[in-house]
Amino acid sequence: MTTDQKPEVVAVCTKPYIDIACSLGEGPYYSEDTGLFRFVDITNKKLHRFHIDKGPDSLESFDTGDAVGVTYDIEGVSDKYIVAAKYGFALMDAATAKLTYIAHAWDDSKDGEGKLERMRFNDGAIDPAGRFFAGSMTDNALHTPTNEGGLFRLDPDRSVHRVIVPVFIPNGLGWSQDGKTMYFTDSPTQTIWAFDYDVETAEISNKRAWYKVDGEPEGAQPDGFAIDEHGDIWSAVHGGSNVIRLRDSGGKGVKIGEVKFPTRLITCPKFVGTELIVTSAQDGSEAEEHGESRLLNGRVFRVNVGVRGAKTRKWKGTA
């Protein structure tokens, strides 16, 4: 498809699947081993979880103590998750959501006094070798975000590495099917960036703009994303009421489809079979034209898009 063709409207979602008013719904994850789908409310420090076959009636909620941005399963481990939380990387007890930190990201002695407390983790992903990448940003519950964040990597041996510093608001992250390209979203730049990636060493190089959000409402930004079985990226557009399907064409992302939603602040999609389950956030806009959006802000949506997601990876570290 060329850039001057109109993208296909893959689906239109008109009502929520889970009628829960998250402040900042994020981090959707589906565990095929257990059938459990989970997501977080970062601001309210909650983990929500339900069984995919039983639906919303099976929803259970847990206090996480600290803000948690994203969770992943651990290879060979069933009673703990690996998570990116307020202060760094942590193990989460699967039964209680209690956190046990294994590594902090920031060091006040090196990064300046108050940096650890001022930041929190946001989105993340597992690379083809089982390393956990996650981005840290200014904790917007405390301060207005600035360009002081970073993308970090937790290796299976629990060593922590700084990958990209600084960044503004790190979001969607993933890899091409051959593992040779890493895609990374820094939301306020309105851009999904691409890097050459070495799976053996985890080194990145050759940063370039892959897709810039345009043609969306003013101020709309790319947020979290999921990757399908064909290697296409399905990116939430925060402020755009949609998830857009992007395909690589000659080293650039081309918008080939979209899914529309009844609320503006769509945050992150996750595949379950051929369906997307999508989180959203509260809409603080008082504009009259956003009144309808506010009625369903923070809800979780479910919609069939007719394509399956790429296989979900697990962290290959030890718990």
Side-chain angles (χ1 to χ4, degrees):
M1 175 173 281
T2 60
T3 54
D4 59 352
Q5 289 178 289
K6 186 175 182 180
E8 173 192 7
V9 177
V10 178
V12 177
C13 185
T14 59
K15 60 183 180 180
Y17 174 61
I18 297 181
D19 194 9
I20 182 173
C22 291
S23 177
L24 180 52
E26 278 280 10
Y29 185 92
Y30 176 55
S31 173
E32 294 182 1
D33 296 341
T34 63
L36 292 173
F37 189 98
R38 60 184 185 261
F39 58 99
V40 297
D41 184 341
I42 296 177
T43 310
N44 287 330
K45 303 175 184 177
K46 295 282 188 181
L47 174 80
H48 302 289
R49 184 173 67 194
F50 66 92
H51 197 283
I52 201 69
D53 293 333
K54 298 177 182 177
D57 288 343
S58 65
L59 183 71
E60 50 185 355
S61 302
F62 304 86
D63 292 323
T64 58
D66 289 337
V68 172
V70 63
T71 74
Y72 272 86
D73 283 355
I74 304 171
E75 190 168 281
V77 177
S78 60
D79 62 346
K80 293 182 177 65
Y81 310 138
I82 186 70
V83 310
K86 166 70 176 174
Y87 300 107
F89 296 100
L91 296 174
M92 174 183 282
D93 188 291
T96 65
K98 180 181 178 181
L99 299 177
T100 302
Y101 283 95
I102 61 174
H104 286 171
W106 302 102
D107 183 340
D108 283 2
S109 66
K110 297 178 181 178
D111 300 308
E113 185 176 352
K115 185 70 178 276
L116 183 64
E117 185 64 36
R118 194 167 67 247
M119 309 299 284
R120 70 160 173 83
F121 270 83
N122 200 41
D123 207 347
I126 306 290
D127 86 340
R131 309 175 184 99
F132 185 23
F133 285 67
S136 177
M137 59 174 281
T138 311
D139 189 338
N140 55 324
L142 303 175
H143 306 280
T144 300
T146 63
N147 191 32
E148 63 171 344
L151 179 66
F152 293 82
R153 186 184 83 238
L154 177 70
D155 285 353
D157 65 2
R158 296 193 178 188
S159 60
V160 176
H161 308 266
R162 299 188 183 198
V163 181
I164 306 173
V165 177
V167 299
F168 211 126
I169 299 180
N171 255 308
L173 178 68
W175 286 263
S176 59
Q177 289 180 305
D178 62 8
K180 294 181 179 180
T181 303
M182 184 182 85
Y183 300 102
F184 171 63
T185 304
D186 192 354
S187 290
T189 68
Q190 295 185 296
T191 303
I192 299 174
W193 301 90
F195 299 80
D196 292 344
Y197 190 71
D198 187 321
V199 175
E200 294 299 319
T201 65
E203 293 297 319
I204 63 170
S205 59
N206 190 25
K207 178 183 179 181
R208 64 268 187 195
W210 184 74
Y211 182 81
K212 185 176 178 66
V213 168
D214 57 12
E216 306 292 343
E218 184 178 356
Q221 302 176 356
D223 207 310
F225 67 63
I227 299 179
D228 70 24
E229 60 187 343
H230 305 296
D232 294 343
I233 287 176
W234 297 68
S235 176
V237 180
H238 189 271
S241 304
N242 60 351
V243 168
I244 55 176
R245 184 181 186 182
L246 305 172
R247 178 167 294 169
D248 185 78
S249 178
K252 292 288 188 179
V254 176
K255 180 179 173 181
I256 65 168
E258 67 175 325
V259 183
K260 296 184 177 181
F261 295 89
T263 192
R264 293 192 317 125
L265 305 188
I266 301 300
T267 53
C268 193
K270 180 64 181 177
F271 278 99
V272 179
T274 61
E275 295 180 301
L276 283 179
I277 297 182
V278 183
T279 52
S280 68
Q282 277 191 2
D283 191 339
S285 170
E286 297 181 357
E288 184 176 346
E289 64 267 27
H290 299 154
E292 198 167 313
S293 170
R294 290 193 295 271
L295 294 176
L296 295 177
N297 59 189
R299 272 59 173 184
V300 175
F301 301 89
R302 185 174 184 175
V303 60
N304 197 317
V305 296
V307 62
R308 293 183 177 275
K311 185 175 176 58
T312 299
R313 300 189 180 105
K314 301 178 182 181
W315 185 54
K316 292 188 176 181
T318 57

